[in-house]
Amino acid sequence: MRDDGALMAETGGSDRTGPVIEASGLGLTFQTADGPVRALTGVDLAIGRGEFVSFIGPSGCGKTTFLRCVAALEEPTEGRLSVNGMSADAARRARAYGYVFQAAGLYPWRTIAGNVQLPLEIMGYPKAERAERVRKVLELVELSGFGNKFPWQLSGGMQQRASIARALAFDADILLMDEPFGALDEIVRDRLNEELLKLWNRTGKTILFVTHSIPEAVYLSTRIVVMSPRPGRITDVIESPLPRERPLEIRDSREFLEIAHRVREGLRAGHAYEV
Amino acid sequence: MRSFLPVLTVVSAIVAIWYGACVWLNAAWTRDQAARAGEEAGFAEILAGSFSQERPVLPAPHQVAAELWDATVAEELFGRRGIVRTGTLSNRSLVYHAWVTLSATLLGFAFGAGLGILLAVGIVHNRAMDMSVMPWAIASQTIPILAIAPMIIVVLNSVGLSGLIPKAIISAYLSFFPVVVGMVKGLRSPDAIQLDLLRTYNAGRGATFWKLRLPASMPFLFASLKVGAAASLVGAIVGELPTGAVAGLGARLLTGSYYGQTVQIWAALFAAAIVAAGLVGLIGWVERRTLARMGMAR
C-alpha cells in the first residue's frame, strides 16, 4: 500500500465529503438513422461514498447508458455530471473507477494473473508491486491458485470473478458493474452476490450495479434506482432498511419482500402506459 | 496415424487417375510410330509406350519421380558437377535451382509481409490511410503479374538492379496483399467490450496496440502468412521467366518448354510444390508454437 497516498490524491481524495457521483438534469440523446433516440432524460441523483446503488429496469431504460456516462464511455448531451468532484472524463483519466462488463472479456492469450495485471501494466505499476496486488485481489475473489490458468480453463463464474479482480487490482474507490452476473445460472449468481457483499464490506468501495433481477437488486443494495424506458428515466429511488450484514436467508424476511414488492410496483408503473 | 489410411487412399486414387490419363494422352504417339512402321500397335505396346516416352504429353508418375531423384540426389552425389565432386551445388540440379528461387522467395516474402503488416497498422490507425490505401492495394492485385513482372525487371535493370532483388520485389508485390487484408481484419478483431475496457484504464493507442490489437491479430497473421508465402513463391518463379532463363525453378520451366522436356517441367513443378509445402509447413509450425505459448491452442 505504498503508493496509495499519491494515487488517492490523484483520484480526488478519499476524505472528501459530499456525493461521489452527482447528476443533475442528465440526459443523453443518440442521433440514429431513424431520428433522435432519447436514451436518458432528467436524471437527478447523488451517490455518497460507500453506497451500494442498484439500477433496475427493463431493457432500453437507460441503466447501462447512465453507467457508461459515469465511466465517460458515453458523453451526456444535457445536464451536469460530476464524479469525485470532477468531470466524468477527468475522472476516467484519473482512473477513478473499475468497470466490470456483462461479459468477463478476459484476454484469451493471458493467464488469469496476466489478465488481472493488465490495468497495472498500463498504469505503470512497478513489477514487484504488480505481483503483490495480483496475489491480493485473486485472494479477495477466492481465485488463489488459479493465477497460472488460462481463461478457457475456468468456468463462467470464475471468469467473471477474475474480471472483478481485474477491476479491483488498482486503487479506484468506485466500482461500476454492468449486469456482471447476467449470464450466470441462479446458483452461481447467489454465491457471487454473497461474495460481492462481503467484498464491499471489506473494501468500502462505492458500487454502482446494473441488473434486471429484482431479488439481486434488493439483496445487494443500500439504494435501488428503478428506471423505465422511452425515454429512459428514473421513476423511483428506494432506500433499503436492510442491515449491512445480509445472509442469503434475509431474502425470506418480510422487509425484503416488501422492498421487492415496491420495486415490482415501480417497474409496473413505468410500463403502465404501454399496456 | 488414424488419417494414414484415408490419405493413402486419396493418393492412390490420384496416382491411378494419373496413370490412366497417361495412356489416354500418350497412346496417339505410340499408334503414330506403329503406323509409320506399317504395323498395328497392340494394347501391351500402347501401355508400355505410354509410360516410357522421352517427351510424353503427360509424363507418368514414376518418370517424374525418377527425374526428381536424378536431378537432386543423384546429380549432387554422383554427378560430375555435384557437390561431392566440386564442393558446390551443380547448376544442373533442382536443389540448386530451387535454392535460387527460394532465396528470392524468402527475401520477397520478408519484404511483402513486413510491408503488409506496416500498411495494416497504418490503415487501422489512420483514417486517411484507411480510405486511400486499400483501393490501391486491391487495384495492384487486379493487374496480371505476368504483364507487370517484365516491366519491373526492365525498370530495375536500368537503375542497375538485377538478379535477386527484382525477383524479390515481384515476390513481395504478390505476397503483401493477403498480409494486409488478414492483418487489418486481425487488428480490428477486438470487440467493443475489450476496447471499452482499455478506455476505462485510460490506455493510449500504443498500449491498445501492443496489449490488445497485436496479440488478437496473431491467428489472422499466420493464416495470411501462409497464403502470402505461396504467393511469394509464384512471384519469384514468374520473376525468373523474363530474365532469359538463367537460373531458378522458373528457368527450368522455361528451358523445359523450349526443348519440349515435359518430364523436366513436371519435375520442376513438383520441386516448386515441395518448396511451397515446406514454407507453409514451417509457418504452420511457428504458428502452433506461438499460439500454444499464448495459451490459444487447445
Side-chain angles (χ1 to χ4, degrees):
Chain A
M1 288 289 163
R2 274 147 288 164
D3 289 347
D4 282 8
L7 207 80
M8 285 297 179
E10 213 180 275
T11 54
S14 58
D15 52 357
R16 185 190 295 272
T17 48
V20 178
I21 292 158
E22 191 166 22
S24 60
L26 196 74
L28 173 56
T29 305
F30 288 113
Q31 299 299 333
T32 70
D34 300 333
V37 172
R38 296 179 75 190
L40 211 56
T41 184
V43 172
D44 296 304
L45 191 69
I47 298 171
R49 187 162 306 283
E51 274 200 81
F52 195 129
V53 181
S54 283
F55 296 80
I56 189 164
S59 42
C61 72
K63 53 194 193 299
T64 294
T65 308
F66 178 72
L67 210 64
R68 288 177 64 86
C69 285
V70 173
L73 295 173
E74 305 285 358
E75 178 121 30
T77 48
E78 305 148 35
R80 287 188 315 107
L81 174 68
S82 78
V83 178
N84 269 350
M86 49 185 127
S87 77
D89 200 54
R92 177 182 68 82
R93 276 183 272 116
R95 287 141 180 178
Y97 62 84
Y99 201 109
V100 180
F101 292 88
Q102 199 164 359
L106 301 171
Y107 291 1
W109 56 84
R110 280 176 174 251
T111 59
I112 295 302
N115 269 288
V116 173
Q117 185 173 268
L118 176 72
L120 305 177
E121 283 173 23
I122 290 169
M123 297 174 190
Y125 283 76
K127 204 170 176 181
E129 193 184 346
R130 291 202 301 243
E132 177 56 23
R133 279 173 180 262
V134 168
R135 193 190 61 71
K136 234 187 260 174
V137 286
L138 282 182
E139 201 179 289
L140 208 60
V141 298
E142 294 176 19
L143 279 179
S144 301
F146 290 93
N148 290 327
K149 294 265 189 277
F150 280 101
W152 59 270
Q153 294 172 300
L154 268 61
S155 69
M158 289 164 105
Q159 289 188 23
Q160 197 53 278
R161 283 214 299 257
S163 91
I164 293 171
R166 185 176 57 185
L168 294 173
F170 53 105
D171 287 317
D173 43 7
I174 304 173
L175 195 54
L176 306 175
M177 307 181 86
D178 183 7
E179 293 187 37
F181 309 137
L184 305 175
D185 67 66
E186 197 82 23
I187 299 161
V188 177
R189 196 176 179 141
D190 276 355
R191 203 169 122 65
L192 290 181
N193 279 341
E194 220 179 345
E195 284 174 16
L196 181 61
L197 268 188
K198 273 191 220 150
L199 201 130
W200 171 62
N201 267 327
R202 245 178 300 170
T203 57
K205 289 187 192 282
T206 311
I207 300 184
L208 275 65
F209 189 94
V210 165
T211 180
H212 48 222
S213 154
I214 296 173
E216 190 171 66
V218 179
Y219 177 65
L220 292 172
S221 326
T222 54
R223 251 198 311 169
I224 301 153
V225 176
V226 182
M227 300 182 74
S228 116
R230 279 173 292 273
R233 65 197 188 281
I234 295 177
T235 50
D236 196 5
V237 178
I238 303 164
E239 294 277 347
S240 171
L242 298 177
R244 269 182 90 104
E245 291 288 333
R246 300 175 185 181
L248 274 175
E249 300 80 66
I250 206 168
R251 294 182 301 180
D252 299 322
S253 72
R254 208 166 51 82
E255 290 102 321
F256 188 96
L257 296 174
E258 268 168 15
I259 306 166
H261 178 75
R262 192 172 153 196
V263 173
R264 195 170 293 114
E265 286 298 307
L267 288 172
R268 200 173 293 161
H271 255 31
Y273 64 95
E274 277 185 70
V275 188
Chain B
M1 233 18 226
R2 248 184 316 149
S3 56
F4 179 72
L5 209 64
V7 169
L8 191 70
T9 311
V10 171
V11 169
S12 316
I14 290 172
V15 169
I17 292 169
W18 188 348
Y19 270 113
C22 283
V23 177
W24 178 52
L25 289 166
N26 300 339
W29 186 82
T30 316
R31 280 203 205 91
D32 285 353
Q33 293 294 101
R36 246 173 258 167
E39 293 161 18
E40 186 75 16
F43 181 71
E45 280 90 57
I46 288 177
L47 210 59
S50 299
F51 300 145
S52 57
Q53 288 172 37
E54 209 169 301
R55 295 171 185 182
V57 177
L58 178 66
H62 67 266
Q63 287 179 294
V64 176
E67 169 69 15
L68 268 175
W69 176 265
D70 288 342
T72 53
V73 181
E75 175 71 22
E76 294 299 349
L77 291 186
F78 315 119
R80 196 164 47 80
R81 294 180 247 195
I83 196 163
V84 173
R85 298 264 175 91
T86 62
T88 53
L89 288 171
S90 162
N91 65 358
R92 292 176 53 167
S93 93
L94 272 177
V95 181
Y96 166 76
H97 292 285
W99 168 246
V100 169
T101 304
L102 181 63
S103 55
T105 303
L106 290 177
L107 188 64
F109 181 53
F111 279 168
L115 179 70
I117 291 170
L118 287 180
L119 282 177
V121 171
I123 286 172
V124 168
H125 286 91
N126 184 301
R127 208 175 134 66
M129 275 189 80
D130 184 16
M131 314 240 312
S132 59
V133 173
M134 215 32 148
W136 285 103
I138 293 167
S140 76
Q141 303 302 302
T142 61
I143 301 166
I145 189 67
L146 272 173
I148 204 166
M151 299 300 108
I152 294 176
I153 303 263
V154 166
V155 167
L156 288 179
N157 199 42
S158 74
V159 296
L161 280 176
S162 60
L164 185 66
I165 301 288
K167 285 197 285 177
I169 286 175
I170 295 166
S171 171
Y173 183 90
L174 282 190
S175 62
F176 87 96
F177 184 66
V179 179
V180 171
V181 174
M183 271 309 266
V184 167
K185 183 105 179 128
L187 292 173
R188 287 195 173 141
S189 65
D191 57 23
I193 282 189
Q194 289 177 320
L195 290 167
D196 277 347
L197 180 71
L198 287 184
R199 220 175 120 68
T200 70
Y201 302 150
N202 192 29
R205 282 182 149 202
T208 308
F209 178 77
W210 292 109
K211 307 246 181 246
L212 176 59
R213 290 190 188 275
L214 193 64
S217 73
M218 280 303 126
F220 296 83
L221 173 65
F222 283 111
S224 59
L225 283 183
K226 284 179 190 168
V227 180
S232 215
L233 184 71
V234 171
I237 290 175
V238 169
E240 282 160 356
L241 295 179
T243 52
V246 189
L249 291 175
R252 288 285 279 202
L253 291 173
L254 203 60
T255 50
S257 68
Y258 281 164
Y259 303 110
Q261 297 287 352
T262 47
V263 181
Q264 184 190 321
I265 294 176
W266 279 84
L269 285 179
F270 269 85
I274 290 165
V275 170
L279 278 176
V280 172
L282 187 68
I283 294 169
W285 179 75
V286 176
E287 176 182 25
R288 280 191 302 278
R289 291 278 313 249
T290 309
L291 293 189
R293 274 191 59 187
M294 289 171 75
M296 286 159 87
R298 293 177 196 188

